[in-house]
Every structure is written in C-alpha cells, then in structure tokens.
Amino acid sequence: ALRFPELLHQILHDAENNGEEHIISWLPCGRRFKIHNTKLFAHSMMPRYFNNNRYKSFLRQLSLYEFRRGAWKNSPGPKGSYDHPYFIKGRVDLAERVIRVKNRNTKMSAWSYAREDDELKSL
C-alpha cells in the first residue's frame, strides 16, 4: 500500500491524465497543488483512493504530513492550494521525505530541514 504522500502524487497524476484537473491539479510552479472543487473531490475521487469520502479526513492527513495551506497566515500561494518542501511534481522520489508528524513539540519540522537541504536548494 502506498503512503499518503505517494498516493497524493498518484491522485494528481491520474487527475492530469483523466481530464480531472478541474477538480485537483498541480499549479504551474509544480511545487503546489490545488483542490478546485472540494465536493467533487470528496465524492468522485476520494472513494477511489481512500476508504472514505470525508474531506475533513483528507485535510487532517495534509496537516499531519505538514502540508501548508496557501493564503493562510504566513503561507504564500493561492487560496485552497497546498505545498510541502518535499512534494514536487515529477519527484515522487522525494515523497519519502514527507514524514507524518507524531508529536509537533519534539520533532523539527520538515520546513526547517528543507532550509538546510542542499539537494532541495538546487531544484
């Protein structure tokens, strides 16, 4: 079974190939994705990949894996978009670095690690 970050890559890839980019798609920068229609995403796409169609469960997964929501607090990007320093279009290999946070108080965030990652700086 795929982990959530790899599955999310698959969802975005499938949406692109199946003409469902009006529901979810990568933004042109390739470093953010956007859910354009949350209702369609929950009812037509989520059941294909998850055991439920509860959009709030999907949002919780994004949060647990430290995805940042755009147009919220200090996060750049359009409203309804999400990003993570190791979630980049065409770079499924980096998804292994998208780690689920168990305790936010004791773990350095992915965003802190990314600032020091030479490989990421070269992308």
Side-chain angles (χ1 to χ4, degrees):
L2 294 176
R3 292 174 52 250
F4 179 77
E6 287 88 0
L7 189 57
L8 186 52
H9 265 286
Q10 187 64 51
I11 291 169
L12 286 157
H13 175 79
D14 292 350
E16 190 171 33
N17 290 337
N18 298 333
E20 295 174 308
E21 290 178 296
H22 62 288
I23 301 172
I24 184 173
S25 69
W26 286 103
L27 293 182
C29 64
R31 289 180 172 266
R32 300 184 77 80
F33 70 92
K34 183 172 180 176
I35 300 168
H36 306 284
N37 187 320
T38 58
K39 286 183 182 178
L40 265 178
F41 179 74
H43 296 292
S44 72
M45 294 190 79
M46 283 184 63
R48 286 186 244 160
Y49 301 94
F50 304 105
N51 293 329
N52 68 65
N53 65 350
R54 291 188 307 274
Y55 187 65
K56 283 188 176 188
S57 296
F58 179 79
L59 293 178
R60 185 171 192 282
Q61 288 298 308
L62 289 175
S63 177
L64 288 170
Y65 281 93
E66 294 189 286
F67 280 83
R68 245 182 357 183
R69 188 171 76 197
W72 184 75
K73 291 192 179 178
N74 295 326
S75 178
K79 184 177 181 183
S81 67
Y82 296 87
D83 70 339
H84 187 284
Y86 294 110
F87 194 77
I88 300 171
K89 184 178 183 178
R91 294 296 308 270
V92 181
D93 59 304
L94 292 176
E96 68 185 27
R97 298 184 192 178
V98 180
I99 306 295
R100 185 175 171 150
V101 176
K102 293 182 175 112
N103 185 341
R104 289 186 183 258
N105 297 326
T106 60
K107 186 167 177 141
M108 189 174 178
S109 82
W111 293 93
S112 298
Y113 282 121
R115 282 193 281 280
E116 300 169 12
D117 190 327
D118 291 332
E119 180 185 356
L120 202 57
K121 290 176 186 173
S122 68
L123 296 177

